[in-house]
């Protein structure tokens, strides 16, 4: 047995020494072609992993962007309805006419952009309500509405649903349902990545 281990050590270009003794470095001989193949395979695996991580990151970013958009949705609607965009609405006495015009142009531009974004979000929200109603899952949409449109916390939602319907929800149920709708909305708002199509 010891002789076969010693023969394997010599064939591998190493000598592990005596038990308890010092060990020397092991060397493996490769042809240039074998080395090139190994490096190419390692590079392919690294690129594949990088793409997978980038895809996961894009998905997380889309979810985050959609969630953030919905968190500021009520403020955006307030901006549209209340932004000072006409000269008659200005009550600032110390502004020159040029400063007033610059300010009004800026407000009109942001108000218009906000109107476009909220119009798109409104369509997606309507679609979510239609889909949940068609599937007989109206409560999911109601909870989504309570969280984003009414600004309630998950705890308040659980209490309100129990008070209104007598239905008891699990502690994580509202969050899970909101997450499901946000994931679905992300695709409707931002589209599908090329990688998902492959």
């Amino acid at each position: 047995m010891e002789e076969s281990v010693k023969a394997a050590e010599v064939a591998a270009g190493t000598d592990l020494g005596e038990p308890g003794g010092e060990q020397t470095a092991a060397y493996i001989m490769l042809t240039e072609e074998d080395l090139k193949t190994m490096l190419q395979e390692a590079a392919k695996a690294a690129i594949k992993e990088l793409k997978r991580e980038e895809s996961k990151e894009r998905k997380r970013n889309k979810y985050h962007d959609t969630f953030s958009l919905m968190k500021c949705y009520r403020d955006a609607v307030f901006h549209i309805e209340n932004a000072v965009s006409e000269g008659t609405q200005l009550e600032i006495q110390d502004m020159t006419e040029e400063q007033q015009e610059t300010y009004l142009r800026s407000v009109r531009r942001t108000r218009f952009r906000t109107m476009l974004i909220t119009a798109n979000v409104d369509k997606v929200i309507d679609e979510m309500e239609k889909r949940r109603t068609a599937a007989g899952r109206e409560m999911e949409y109601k909870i989504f509405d309570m969280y984003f449109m009414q600004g309630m916390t998950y705890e308040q939602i659980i209490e309100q649903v129990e008070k209104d319907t007598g239905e008891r929800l699990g502690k994580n149920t509202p969050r899970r349902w909101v997450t499901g709708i946000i994931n679905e909305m992300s695709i409707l708002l931002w589209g599908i990545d090329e990688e998902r199509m492959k």
Side-chain angles (χ1 to χ4, degrees):
M1 172 91 171
E2 247 178 59
E3 289 175 11
S4 60
V5 170
K6 198 69 170 166
E9 290 171 358
V10 171
T14 183
D15 183 1
L16 297 177
E18 295 300 318
E22 287 188 34
Q23 296 182 357
T24 58
Y27 297 98
I28 298 173
M29 294 187 58
L30 295 172
T31 65
E32 190 175 328
E33 191 60 38
D34 289 342
L35 179 60
K36 194 185 260 186
T37 302
M38 275 179 49
L39 291 174
Q40 286 174 345
E41 291 302 317
K44 284 179 188 177
I47 290 169
K48 186 176 181 180
E49 179 63 20
L50 179 65
K51 285 183 178 180
R52 192 175 66 76
E53 288 298 320
E54 286 174 347
S55 178
K56 281 171 54 177
E57 184 65 25
R58 277 194 301 274
K59 186 176 179 184
R60 274 193 298 268
N61 287 343
K62 284 183 181 181
Y63 175 87
H64 178 267
D65 291 349
T66 305
F67 190 88
S68 297
L69 185 60
M70 289 309 303
K71 279 304 251 184
C72 67
Y73 177 81
R74 289 183 306 143
D75 294 334
V77 171
F78 178 87
H79 174 74
I80 291 167
E81 294 171 355
N82 298 293
V84 174
S85 59
E86 300 301 324
T88 56
Q89 295 173 301
L90 282 177
E91 296 175 6
I92 301 173
Q93 302 298 326
D94 298 337
M95 286 180 113
T96 66
E97 197 171 309
E98 184 179 341
Q99 288 172 325
Q100 288 180 14
E101 262 315 301
T102 303
Y103 172 79
L104 291 173
R105 271 195 310 273
S106 173
V107 171
R108 286 180 189 133
R109 200 169 35 250
T110 59
R111 184 172 181 224
F112 181 71
R113 267 197 334 258
T114 304
M115 287 172 71
L116 289 175
I117 292 168
T118 55
N120 193 26
V121 171
D122 288 341
K123 287 182 180 185
V124 172
I125 289 171
D126 289 344
E127 180 63 21
M128 291 297 97
E129 184 176 17
K130 287 177 193 171
R131 289 180 182 188
R132 292 305 182 273
T133 301
R137 295 165 31 201
E138 294 89 351
M139 182 61 74
E140 290 180 26
Y141 177 78
K142 183 179 180 183
I143 286 172
F144 173 82
D145 183 83
M146 292 166 84
Y147 185 73
F148 287 112
M149 309 311 173
Q150 297 172 39
M152 296 173 74
T153 66
Y154 291 124
E155 292 78 18
Q156 291 170 329
I157 291 169
I158 291 169
E159 288 174 22
Q160 189 67 43
V161 167
E162 189 171 340
K163 181 180 159 191
D164 291 349
T165 66
E167 185 178 340
R168 293 185 55 84
L169 298 177
K171 186 178 102 175
N172 295 323
T173 301
R175 182 184 311 273
R176 203 175 65 247
W177 287 349
V178 166
T179 298
I181 291 176
I182 290 292
N183 277 326
E184 203 171 327
M185 286 179 70
S186 294
I187 295 170
L188 297 177
L189 286 170
W190 317 114
I192 297 177
D193 289 335
E194 291 176 24
E195 285 79 18
R196 290 188 183 192
M197 301 299 289
K198 292 178 182 175

